[in-house]
Amino acid sequence: MPNLDKTINIFQDTLSLPDAALQLFNIQYQRNPVYKQWCDTLKVAPENVQDITQIPFLPVSFFKTRQVVCGSFEPEALFESSGTTQTVNSRHLVKELALYEQSCVAAFEREYGAIAEWCVIGLLPAYLERKNSSLVHMVNQFIAISAVPESGFYLYEYDKLYHTLQQLEARGQKTLLIGVTFGLLDFAEAHTMQLQHTVVMETGGMKGRRRELTREEVHGFLTERLGVPHIHSEYGMTELLSQAYSKGAGLYRCPPWMKIVVRDEEDPLLVREHGRGVINIIDLANRDSCAFIATDDVGIVYEDGSFEVRGRMDVSDIRGCSLLMV
């Protein structure tokens, strides 16, 4: 049986995602009992799969009720979704935190350059108030790598954050302000700024603190109040170990080891590499759980691989990290 830990180097420059995905599909079919059961239910066997659009995608809801793992291992971490008091949270058992950290850092640095050069400020009050947040772990990793002493987390210290950003701006320090949507809105209501050296990045979600707004409403308010030309966004979830980034207008790009395809709303087994539909995700970093996830997000994938998220399917559960309808 192939060694799952050494089969695929997803971060190599010569990675062919289609080839690597087909190889990983064969491995996960053998080693992940939950995924194999799903494939068998759909009557899809590895010998019949020749293209990534033929690979079965596991409904993301399985992470709420089953242990989605390859083989048997003692996890180094447990990531849990935020959800609400009425929903069951997803649980992602992570075999190797180093792989998650490598994926996070590599994906960010492909888009934004070396993290060490950034001041990283996390405005993530809802996440910091609970345990097992993958987003907090990611931002904490960025803060640890940053060489700027002001890097750190903020809860509801909006005045302190305002003065810190003023000081960073005064010396021209490149800064990432990454925050949950309601936290950024609260901060922007309390303070108006003209940020020239700061990237403002929202991660989605109101956490029940505010009424839901469209992406245009959120980004319009933040750009006006904070004086930035665009609001950047991060697309990730508890069930993944990789992220996509948008530098404005809600258009996301994936790192080479992650790919978005879409399935037909009426026929979920009809999968296309581009067009409108419900988002399926290939995340090769998910080698120890499931690399092929069927989400409840509705979107558009363009021919160059970039994508938009347009909302959620009506029948899906409300997720704490859900992106806003546009």
Side-chain angles (χ1 to χ4, degrees):
M1 183 176 296
N3 186 323
L4 198 61
D5 296 331
K6 298 179 180 179
T7 300
I8 304 167
N9 177 10
I10 64 173
F11 303 112
Q12 63 184 334
D13 292 337
T14 57
L15 175 73
S16 168
L17 183 139
D19 292 341
L22 290 170
Q23 185 178 353
L24 189 54
F25 164 62
N26 278 270
I27 294 171
Q28 293 192 333
Y29 179 84
Q30 297 175 49
R31 300 199 60 188
N32 185 324
V34 172
Y35 185 53
K36 183 180 187 301
Q37 185 180 11
W38 176 247
C39 293
D40 290 346
T41 299
L42 298 178
K43 296 181 169 54
V44 178
E47 58 267 23
N48 299 323
V49 174
Q50 307 298 323
D51 184 86
I52 58 172
T53 60
Q54 298 173 320
I55 295 174
F57 287 80
L58 187 74
V60 69
S61 59
F62 277 51
F63 282 82
K64 297 175 182 288
T65 58
R66 307 287 293 275
Q67 286 197 357
V68 183
V69 295
C70 289
S72 177
F73 58 83
E74 187 68 28
E76 290 188 356
L78 167 66
F79 291 151
E80 290 186 285
S81 63
S82 50
T84 69
T85 56
Q86 289 78 38
T87 60
V88 178
N89 293 349
S90 290
R91 293 163 55 88
H92 189 174
L93 302 178
V94 180
K95 183 179 180 180
E96 297 178 80
L97 269 174
L99 176 61
Y100 175 60
E101 293 165 356
Q102 184 179 7
S103 177
C104 291
V105 170
F108 181 87
E109 291 190 336
R110 285 185 64 87
E111 297 293 334
Y112 296 97
I115 294 173
E117 299 175 359
W118 288 82
C119 178
V120 179
I121 294 177
L123 185 59
L124 304 169
Y127 294 91
L128 289 169
E129 292 164 356
R130 63 181 179 84
K131 297 179 180 179
N132 303 326
S133 164
S134 59
L135 179 60
V136 167
H137 190 92
M138 181 185 82
V139 176
N140 191 52
Q141 179 71 7
F142 290 178
I143 290 169
I145 294 172
S146 170
V148 182
E150 288 90 346
S151 291
F153 286 106
Y154 287 73
L155 280 169
Y156 302 98
E157 306 151 293
Y158 298 139
D159 290 343
K160 179 181 177 183
L161 174 58
Y162 173 73
H163 292 300
T164 299
L165 288 174
Q166 280 187 318
Q167 294 169 4
L168 294 166
E169 285 283 322
R171 68 174 195 257
Q173 172 59 52
K174 191 163 57 173
T175 300
L176 171 68
L177 173 59
I178 179 170
V180 65
T181 305
F182 82 84
L184 290 173
L185 290 172
D186 287 349
F187 172 68
E189 281 186 347
H191 298 283
T192 181
M193 304 192 75
Q194 289 295 316
L195 298 173
Q196 298 180 4
H197 307 285
T198 300
V199 164
V200 179
M201 180 179 291
E202 56 97 4
T203 66
M206 292 296 189
K207 309 300 183 223
R209 310 294 180 94
R210 285 172 166 264
R211 71 177 181 88
E212 293 293 338
L213 301 173
T214 67
R215 177 176 57 81
E216 283 85 355
E217 289 174 319
V218 170
H219 287 203
F221 181 77
L222 292 177
T223 54
E224 179 183 355
R225 295 287 296 181
L226 299 180
V228 291
H230 305 288
I231 301 300
H232 297 226
S233 302
E234 177 257 359
Y235 181 80
M237 57 184 65
T238 298
E239 301 84 359
L240 303 177
L241 294 186
S242 299
Q243 303 79 32
Y245 288 98
S246 165
K247 293 185 175 181
L251 187 67
Y252 293 90
R253 297 189 182 278
C254 294
W257 57 92
M258 178 183 180
K259 182 177 177 64
I260 306 298
V261 295
V262 287
R263 68 184 187 271
D264 188 87
E265 290 191 47
E266 302 298 328
D267 180 4
L269 298 183
L270 177 58
V271 176
R272 298 181 296 272
E273 291 200 52
H274 51 81
R276 296 174 180 266
V278 189
I279 289 175
N280 286 353
I281 301 174
I282 299 174
D283 179 9
L284 298 183
N286 265 13
R287 65 189 185 193
D288 299 303
S289 55
C290 182
F292 313 100
I293 303 297
T295 79
D296 299 320
D297 293 327
V298 178
I300 303 173
V301 180
Y302 297 100
E303 293 193 16
D304 66 354
S306 62
F307 69 99
E308 295 182 54
V309 180
R310 290 299 184 94
R312 300 187 60 75
M313 295 180 66
D314 291 338
V315 297
S316 63
D317 290 339
I318 297 173
R319 289 165 58 101
C321 293
S322 64
L323 295 181
L324 305 176
M325 291 291 291
V326 296

